[in-house]
Amino acid sequence: MARTRALMTETERARIAGEEDVEDRKVYQAISEVRNRINDELVDDVETLEEHHPGLLEELRDVVCKDHDEHD
């Protein structure tokens, strides 16, 4: 099954992580795109989940708020 993106595209993830040798402006552009998704689309998604499917919202919170040290 093909992967879909959550918050970042594979390209944005690579640029932000410094895995691509690209101009600084492309890194800043990737950061800006992700920031816009966080402040716009993600807010709308959270509001929709809060109203219509609080269980999914809790799953999202669990992923976002968990301690990520286990992945290091």
Side-chain angles (χ1 to χ4, degrees):
M1 179 195 292
R3 288 185 64 180
T4 60
R5 76 168 166 88
L7 188 57
M8 295 187 279
T9 65
E10 288 184 33
T11 300
E12 290 165 343
R13 190 177 295 118
R15 288 179 179 172
I16 290 171
E19 296 170 358
E20 282 193 3
D21 186 24
V22 295
E23 300 170 0
D24 286 347
R25 69 178 180 81
K26 290 189 177 187
V27 175
Y28 296 131
Q29 180 181 14
I31 292 168
S32 177
E33 290 292 328
V34 173
R35 182 176 286 122
N36 287 338
R37 283 187 213 114
I38 290 169
N39 293 318
D40 296 332
E41 285 85 3
L42 188 59
V43 170
D44 292 341
D45 290 349
V46 167
E47 289 172 354
T48 299
L49 290 175
E50 186 173 52
E51 182 175 345
H52 300 286
H53 207 298
L56 278 177
L57 179 57
E58 188 60 33
E59 290 179 41
L60 174 62
R61 285 186 175 130
D62 288 346
V63 169
V64 172
C65 299
K66 78 177 180 182
D67 185 2
H68 289 281
D69 288 340
E70 63 195 47
H71 296 287
D72 292 338

